[in-house]
Amino acid sequence: MGTEEKTNTCGTICLKYLLFTFNLIFWLAGGAVAAVGIWTLVDKSEYISLLASSAYSASAYVLILAGVVVVATGILGCCATIKEHRGFLIVYFVLLLFIFLLEITAGVLAYVYYQELSDELRVNLKEKMVNQYQQPGQDHVTQAVDKLHQDLKCCGSNNFTDWRDGEWNKALAGDRVVPDSCCKTPSDLCGRRHHPSNIYNVEGGCISKLEEFILQHLQILGGVGIGLAFIQLVGMIFTCCLYRSLKEEPY
């Protein structure tokens, strides 16, 4: 009888150390997850205004929320483990489950948008660029297009000839063929020459460049969200085991 009690006690102590260690790692991971979400929104955030769907930014916001909740949950988990309080462990388990669902949601959103991205860009990007560029009240689109041209070294949605259409060409182009931001060395009215030595003229235009850029971010978002979600399953298993090993205590 005494041997059995000692075995149970040792098992409980081992579970406590495992769960405490997990919580420290989990707490650090929460900060990392939030950082990935913030990085996704901040890095080339201007491009979001060129997208018709909000799924890209929604995935990032879900990860940021999950990261913040993870940090708070990690602190609660450490307290529950140290105090051996079954009530705290229940709350901790519920929060882990909530975060798990958040991260799965972020991963699914990233995957769904991954499948729709190419079609969305081909349908919407040219329309938004040529009809909203340098138009009144569309400063965010103008800045996004200029940054897109310079950062990704492209011109137009499919190629520079896209700029022959739309409101910009009708009212604002003057004798320019493309916006000045298409130039390899931007300067006033440099867009009058569309020779490859003067402007960016890549195959596939900005659509292919932006698609590649966003896909890289979506892969990171999806990988972080789903990967950490499954790691949390380990934490939930530890929590259940520790809960069952502790004697019933009044809440």
Side-chain angles (χ1 to χ4, degrees):
M1 194 75 177
T3 304
E4 183 180 353
E5 183 177 340
K6 183 176 180 181
T7 302
N8 291 338
T9 302
C10 288
T12 300
I13 291 172
C14 287
L15 282 170
K16 282 179 62 178
Y17 278 114
L18 283 171
L19 190 56
F20 188 79
T21 302
F22 172 83
N23 272 294
L24 290 177
I25 297 171
F26 191 53
W27 186 78
L28 294 173
V33 167
V36 168
I38 293 170
W39 165 73
T40 302
L41 292 177
V42 171
D43 187 33
K44 311 295 189 298
S45 60
E46 295 90 346
Y47 299 165
I48 293 174
S49 63
L50 298 176
L51 305 176
S53 171
S54 60
Y56 176 69
S57 55
S59 299
Y61 282 120
V62 169
L63 270 192
I64 292 171
L65 175 61
V68 171
V69 177
V70 162
V71 171
T73 302
I75 295 171
L76 175 63
C78 289
C79 293
T81 304
I82 293 170
K83 292 182 176 294
E84 299 184 8
H85 197 295
R86 286 163 61 92
F88 283 172
L89 285 173
I90 292 174
V91 175
Y92 176 64
F93 180 87
V94 171
L95 287 173
L96 280 181
L97 182 60
F98 173 68
I99 299 165
F100 175 83
L101 295 175
L102 273 181
E103 287 166 350
I104 289 293
T105 300
V108 169
L109 280 173
Y111 178 77
V112 169
Y113 191 55
Y114 178 93
Q115 303 301 313
E116 300 174 350
L117 177 62
S118 181
D119 290 338
E120 179 193 317
L121 289 177
R122 295 184 190 286
V123 170
N124 297 299
L125 187 60
K126 178 182 176 180
E127 179 73 17
K128 183 163 283 193
M129 288 175 73
V130 301
N131 287 319
Q132 296 184 23
Y133 183 73
Q134 291 186 343
Q135 299 300 310
Q138 300 296 333
D139 290 346
H140 60 295
V141 173
T142 301
Q143 292 172 8
V145 171
D146 287 341
K147 192 170 181 60
L148 183 69
H149 284 160
Q150 286 297 301
D151 287 357
L152 301 188
K153 303 185 187 311
C154 58
C155 181
S157 55
N158 295 290
N159 55 57
F160 75 91
T161 60
D162 292 333
W163 290 104
R164 296 172 181 171
D165 305 319
E167 296 300 320
W168 179 82
N169 186 57
K170 292 176 183 177
L172 299 167
D175 59 349
R176 288 178 296 175
V177 181
V178 295
D180 295 334
S181 58
C182 281
C183 298
K184 295 179 179 178
T185 306
S187 61
D188 288 341
L189 302 179
C190 67
R192 289 180 292 189
R193 289 181 60 244
H194 59 80
H195 192 273
S197 64
N198 183 53
I199 68 168
Y200 294 115
N201 187 16
V202 296
E203 185 177 351
C206 291
I207 285 179
S208 61
K209 292 282 192 173
L210 185 57
E211 182 178 2
E212 181 182 353
F213 170 83
I214 293 176
L215 287 182
Q216 289 174 350
H217 279 66
L218 287 176
Q219 287 168 356
I220 294 171
L221 280 175
V224 168
I226 293 177
L228 190 59
F230 282 102
I231 291 174
Q232 282 175 233
L233 288 175
V234 177
M236 287 190 272
I237 292 170
F238 286 162
T239 304
C240 289
C241 292
L242 181 58
Y243 178 85
R244 294 183 62 182
S245 70
L246 294 174
K247 293 181 181 179
E248 193 73 41
E249 294 180 2
Y251 297 169

